[in-house]
Amino acid sequence: MKTEENFSDEKFFRSKGYLDLMWIRNKFQRRILELGYNFLFTDMDVLWFRNPLRHIAITSDFAFASDFFFGDEDQIEPSAPNGGFMYVKSSNKTIEFFKNWQDQRVNYPDKHDQDVLNNIKVEFSKKFQVKMQFVNTLYTAGFCEMSKDISKVCTVHANCCVGLQAKLLDLRSILDDWKAYKSIPPWAKEKETFRFRDHGICIHPIKK
């Protein structure tokens, strides 16, 4: 008898349990689309400060956060989608996109859904005629590339960081920065641009 995978504990990055979890998540997301619902999905290691939906174009079928922003939200290459923040509209073409995306797992047995998506995004966006958007990291930031302006950031993702304890440590630091920013009088906020500090064990400069 096949043993069911236990997803109640931490799954280490790129382990078999981690890969299985990512693909089960992907299948669940497809089911949401099949039921006729749009969805906005974020990982548990994403802090929300403002509503990011106002930065998602009405014309986008898919909208992703990016590890790095290359200056054009409509530029598929070299943009790398981050599945930890993803908005998808329900339609026949997005459902077919998901079905064919999942079918690609057999061709990439050691990769998770996000890596596979990065490999197929150009071909599949043309094949299924879906419009992809890669949201500016000014608004949907992450530890790979932090927002340059705390007064505009909507979400911060603990990407480019491995391990639950490391993520928690630096997310708490980000939250401390946010609380400090919110405590500043409005007249002082208007005089300068505020940024998150460089600190912690996850947050470090990474070259594109």
Side-chain angles (χ1 to χ4, degrees):
M1 179 180 292
K2 183 178 179 180
T3 302
E4 291 292 331
E5 181 71 43
N6 182 358
F7 294 115
S8 62
D9 56 357
E10 181 178 3
K11 300 301 177 186
F12 294 100
F13 188 59
R14 296 194 184 281
S15 67
K16 180 184 181 302
Y18 173 85
L19 295 176
D20 289 343
L21 179 61
M22 293 300 99
W23 284 106
I24 288 173
R25 179 186 75 176
N26 185 271
K27 187 175 182 179
F28 173 75
Q29 291 168 340
R30 188 188 94 189
R31 182 58 180 150
I32 297 298
L33 298 176
E34 290 173 339
L35 291 171
Y37 296 101
N38 306 338
F39 70 78
L40 174 59
F41 172 86
T42 64
D43 280 347
M44 291 294 291
D45 59 347
V46 176
L47 292 176
W48 281 56
F49 300 122
R50 299 181 177 90
N51 181 7
L53 284 171
R54 56 198 291 259
H55 299 291
I56 295 175
I58 195 171
T59 55
S60 297
D61 297 301
F62 283 82
F64 302 94
S66 305
D67 289 341
F68 301 100
F69 182 62
F70 292 92
D72 184 350
E73 292 193 341
D74 298 326
Q75 182 180 347
I76 296 180
E77 288 285 14
S79 298
N82 189 305
F85 179 100
M86 177 169 57
Y87 170 80
V88 188
K89 287 181 182 175
S90 176
S91 66
N92 289 337
K93 59 186 179 181
T94 56
I95 292 169
E96 286 302 312
F97 188 107
F98 263 79
K99 287 180 180 177
N100 285 268
W101 178 5
Q102 289 157 15
D103 289 344
Q104 290 296 309
R105 186 181 184 184
V106 298
N107 298 324
Y108 302 93
D110 298 325
K111 292 185 179 295
H112 56 72
D113 59 331
Q114 181 178 299
D115 283 345
V116 173
L117 176 62
N118 200 39
N119 289 336
I120 65 174
K121 64 181 187 289
V122 174
E123 175 190 353
F124 276 31
S125 63
K126 293 178 181 177
K127 180 177 180 180
F128 298 103
Q129 294 295 296
V130 298
K131 173 72 166 55
M132 289 188 172
Q133 177 188 358
F134 301 89
V135 184
N136 193 330
T137 51
L138 184 67
Y139 309 115
T140 56
F143 291 169
C144 300
E145 183 172 276
M146 288 299 297
S147 173
K148 297 179 175 61
D149 191 344
I150 197 172
S151 69
K152 295 180 180 179
V153 69
C154 297
T155 61
V156 174
H157 186 193
N159 54 9
C160 288
C161 185
V162 176
L164 180 60
Q165 293 306 313
K167 288 174 180 282
L168 286 173
L169 176 65
D170 279 1
L171 285 173
R172 289 190 182 105
S173 296
I174 291 295
L175 191 56
D176 287 342
D177 284 352
W178 173 255
K179 290 177 179 178
Y181 166 75
K182 293 293 287 183
S183 69
I184 299 171
W187 60 266
K189 293 177 183 176
E190 295 174 359
K191 290 188 175 182
E192 61 179 295
T193 298
F194 291 87
R195 300 187 180 190
F196 292 106
R197 295 168 294 162
D198 290 329
H199 50 240
I201 55 179
C202 291
I203 304 173
H204 53 280
I206 300 175
K207 294 183 179 179
K208 295 181 183 179

PDB file of all heavy atoms in Angstrom, residues 191-204:
ATOM      1  N   LYS A 191       9.502  64.061   3.800  1.00  0.00           N
ATOM      2  CA  LYS A 191      10.769  64.747   3.541  1.00  0.00           C
ATOM      3  C   LYS A 191      11.843  63.844   2.957  1.00  0.00           C
ATOM      4  O   LYS A 191      12.832  64.330   2.431  1.00  0.00           O
ATOM      5  CB  LYS A 191      11.284  65.399   4.834  1.00  0.00           C
ATOM      6  CG  LYS A 191      10.443  66.586   5.279  1.00  0.00           C
ATOM      7  CD  LYS A 191      11.101  67.303   6.451  1.00  0.00           C
ATOM      8  CE  LYS A 191      10.319  68.553   6.818  1.00  0.00           C
ATOM      9  NZ  LYS A 191      10.982  69.302   7.929  1.00  0.00           N
ATOM     10  N   GLU A 192      11.700  62.545   3.072  1.00  0.00           N
ATOM     11  CA  GLU A 192      12.731  61.654   2.565  1.00  0.00           C
ATOM     12  C   GLU A 192      12.157  60.286   2.223  1.00  0.00           C
ATOM     13  O   GLU A 192      11.036  59.955   2.594  1.00  0.00           O
ATOM     14  CB  GLU A 192      13.860  61.497   3.590  1.00  0.00           C
ATOM     15  CG  GLU A 192      13.420  60.911   4.921  1.00  0.00           C
ATOM     16  CD  GLU A 192      14.583  60.762   5.884  1.00  0.00           C
ATOM     17  OE1 GLU A 192      15.480  59.953   5.583  1.00  0.00           O
ATOM     18  OE2 GLU A 192      14.577  61.445   6.929  1.00  0.00           O
ATOM     19  N   THR A 193      12.934  59.511   1.454  1.00  0.00           N
ATOM     20  CA  THR A 193      12.539  58.154   1.089  1.00  0.00           C
ATOM     21  C   THR A 193      13.092  57.186   2.123  1.00  0.00           C
ATOM     22  O   THR A 193      14.290  57.202   2.420  1.00  0.00           O
ATOM     23  CB  THR A 193      13.081  57.781  -0.301  1.00  0.00           C
ATOM     24  OG1 THR A 193      12.522  58.671  -1.266  1.00  0.00           O
ATOM     25  CG2 THR A 193      12.724  56.350  -0.671  1.00  0.00           C
ATOM     26  N   PHE A 194      12.232  56.357   2.653  1.00  0.00           N
ATOM     27  CA  PHE A 194      12.640  55.399   3.674  1.00  0.00           C
ATOM     28  C   PHE A 194      12.845  54.027   3.053  1.00  0.00           C
ATOM     29  O   PHE A 194      12.097  53.608   2.176  1.00  0.00           O
ATOM     30  CB  PHE A 194      11.589  55.328   4.782  1.00  0.00           C
ATOM     31  CG  PHE A 194      11.514  56.580   5.614  1.00  0.00           C
ATOM     32  CD1 PHE A 194      10.703  57.633   5.223  1.00  0.00           C
ATOM     33  CD2 PHE A 194      12.259  56.715   6.765  1.00  0.00           C
ATOM     34  CE1 PHE A 194      10.634  58.797   5.969  1.00  0.00           C
ATOM     35  CE2 PHE A 194      12.204  57.868   7.526  1.00  0.00           C
ATOM     36  CZ  PHE A 194      11.389  58.911   7.123  1.00  0.00           C
ATOM     37  N   ARG A 195      13.867  53.330   3.531  1.00  0.00           N
ATOM     38  CA  ARG A 195      14.176  51.995   3.041  1.00  0.00           C
ATOM     39  C   ARG A 195      14.341  51.041   4.215  1.00  0.00           C
ATOM     40  O   ARG A 195      14.620  51.464   5.336  1.00  0.00           O
ATOM     41  CB  ARG A 195      15.469  51.996   2.212  1.00  0.00           C
ATOM     42  CG  ARG A 195      15.436  52.902   0.992  1.00  0.00           C
ATOM     43  CD  ARG A 195      16.676  52.723   0.145  1.00  0.00           C
ATOM     44  NE  ARG A 195      16.667  53.583  -1.028  1.00  0.00           N
ATOM     45  CZ  ARG A 195      17.532  53.494  -2.021  1.00  0.00           C
ATOM     46  NH1 ARG A 195      18.492  52.588  -1.973  1.00  0.00           N
ATOM     47  NH2 ARG A 195      17.453  54.298  -3.057  1.00  0.00           N
ATOM     48  N   PHE A 196      14.176  49.765   3.924  1.00  0.00           N
ATOM     49  CA  PHE A 196      14.487  48.762   4.923  1.00  0.00           C
ATOM     50  C   PHE A 196      15.999  48.703   5.127  1.00  0.00           C
ATOM     51  O   PHE A 196      16.774  48.893   4.189  1.00  0.00           O
ATOM     52  CB  PHE A 196      13.996  47.381   4.478  1.00  0.00           C
ATOM     53  CG  PHE A 196      12.509  47.252   4.425  1.00  0.00           C
ATOM     54  CD1 PHE A 196      11.843  47.230   3.217  1.00  0.00           C
ATOM     55  CD2 PHE A 196      11.776  47.144   5.603  1.00  0.00           C
ATOM     56  CE1 PHE A 196      10.460  47.105   3.168  1.00  0.00           C
ATOM     57  CE2 PHE A 196      10.398  47.017   5.570  1.00  0.00           C
ATOM     58  CZ  PHE A 196       9.735  47.002   4.343  1.00  0.00           C
ATOM     59  N   ARG A 197      16.411  48.442   6.350  1.00  0.00           N
ATOM     60  CA  ARG A 197      17.839  48.293   6.634  1.00  0.00           C
ATOM     61  C   ARG A 197      18.369  46.976   6.074  1.00  0.00           C
ATOM     62  O   ARG A 197      17.628  46.020   5.890  1.00  0.00           O
ATOM     63  CB  ARG A 197      18.076  48.315   8.148  1.00  0.00           C
ATOM     64  CG  ARG A 197      17.750  49.614   8.837  1.00  0.00           C
ATOM     65  CD  ARG A 197      17.753  49.416  10.340  1.00  0.00           C
ATOM     66  NE  ARG A 197      16.663  48.521  10.758  1.00  0.00           N
ATOM     67  CZ  ARG A 197      16.620  47.905  11.939  1.00  0.00           C
ATOM     68  NH1 ARG A 197      17.604  48.046  12.800  1.00  0.00           N
ATOM     69  NH2 ARG A 197      15.594  47.132  12.253  1.00  0.00           N
ATOM     70  N   ASP A 198      19.671  46.944   5.799  1.00  0.00           N
ATOM     71  CA  ASP A 198      20.348  45.685   5.475  1.00  0.00           C
ATOM     72  C   ASP A 198      20.724  45.025   6.795  1.00  0.00           C
ATOM     73  O   ASP A 198      21.502  45.572   7.574  1.00  0.00           O
ATOM     74  CB  ASP A 198      21.618  45.941   4.646  1.00  0.00           C
ATOM     75  CG  ASP A 198      21.289  46.416   3.254  1.00  0.00           C
ATOM     76  OD1 ASP A 198      20.229  46.021   2.732  1.00  0.00           O
ATOM     77  OD2 ASP A 198      22.080  47.179   2.681  1.00  0.00           O
ATOM     78  N   HIS A 199      20.154  43.858   7.049  1.00  0.00           N
ATOM     79  CA  HIS A 199      20.445  43.198   8.319  1.00  0.00           C
ATOM     80  C   HIS A 199      20.056  41.737   8.221  1.00  0.00           C
ATOM     81  O   HIS A 199      19.397  41.304   7.281  1.00  0.00           O
ATOM     82  CB  HIS A 199      19.647  43.850   9.464  1.00  0.00           C
ATOM     83  CG  HIS A 199      18.182  44.016   9.186  1.00  0.00           C
ATOM     84  ND1 HIS A 199      17.577  45.241   9.172  1.00  0.00           N
ATOM     85  CD2 HIS A 199      17.214  43.120   8.866  1.00  0.00           C
ATOM     86  CE1 HIS A 199      16.304  45.086   8.881  1.00  0.00           C
ATOM     87  NE2 HIS A 199      16.059  43.803   8.692  1.00  0.00           N
ATOM     88  N   GLY A 200      20.506  40.959   9.180  1.00  0.00           N
ATOM     89  CA  GLY A 200      20.062  39.580   9.288  1.00  0.00           C
ATOM     90  C   GLY A 200      20.901  38.597   8.489  1.00  0.00           C
ATOM     91  O   GLY A 200      21.913  38.932   7.867  1.00  0.00           O
ATOM     92  N   ILE A 201      20.444  37.362   8.483  1.00  0.00           N
ATOM     93  CA  ILE A 201      21.189  36.290   7.823  1.00  0.00           C
ATOM     94  C   ILE A 201      20.626  35.924   6.456  1.00  0.00           C
ATOM     95  O   ILE A 201      21.259  35.227   5.693  1.00  0.00           O
ATOM     96  CB  ILE A 201      21.225  35.019   8.711  1.00  0.00           C
ATOM     97  CG1 ILE A 201      19.817  34.583   9.108  1.00  0.00           C
ATOM     98  CG2 ILE A 201      22.056  35.251   9.944  1.00  0.00           C
ATOM     99  CD1 ILE A 201      19.777  33.344   9.954  1.00  0.00           C
ATOM    100  N   CYS A 202      19.409  36.405   6.148  1.00  0.00           N
ATOM    101  CA  CYS A 202      18.849  36.188   4.808  1.00  0.00           C
ATOM    102  C   CYS A 202      19.148  37.361   3.897  1.00  0.00           C
ATOM    103  O   CYS A 202      19.447  37.191   2.723  1.00  0.00           O
ATOM    104  CB  CYS A 202      17.327  36.026   4.881  1.00  0.00           C
ATOM    105  SG  CYS A 202      16.761  34.505   5.658  1.00  0.00           S
ATOM    106  N   ILE A 203      19.004  38.552   4.429  1.00  0.00           N
ATOM    107  CA  ILE A 203      19.086  39.758   3.603  1.00  0.00           C
ATOM    108  C   ILE A 203      20.537  40.084   3.316  1.00  0.00           C
ATOM    109  O   ILE A 203      21.307  40.427   4.200  1.00  0.00           O
ATOM    110  CB  ILE A 203      18.396  40.947   4.308  1.00  0.00           C
ATOM    111  CG1 ILE A 203      16.962  40.579   4.639  1.00  0.00           C
ATOM    112  CG2 ILE A 203      18.445  42.185   3.439  1.00  0.00           C
ATOM    113  CD1 ILE A 203      16.248  41.587   5.476  1.00  0.00           C
ATOM    114  N   HIS A 204      20.894  39.966   2.070  1.00  0.00           N
ATOM    115  CA  HIS A 204      22.255  40.281   1.645  1.00  0.00           C
ATOM    116  C   HIS A 204      22.216  40.626   0.169  1.00  0.00           C
ATOM    117  O   HIS A 204      21.352  40.161  -0.559  1.00  0.00           O
ATOM    118  CB  HIS A 204      23.182  39.087   1.890  1.00  0.00           C
ATOM    119  CG  HIS A 204      22.695  37.811   1.283  1.00  0.00           C
ATOM    120  ND1 HIS A 204      21.731  37.025   1.876  1.00  0.00           N
ATOM    121  CD2 HIS A 204      23.007  37.192   0.120  1.00  0.00           C
ATOM    122  CE1 HIS A 204      21.476  35.985   1.125  1.00  0.00           C
ATOM    123  NE2 HIS A 204      22.226  36.049   0.044  1.00  0.00           N
TER     124      HIS A 204
END
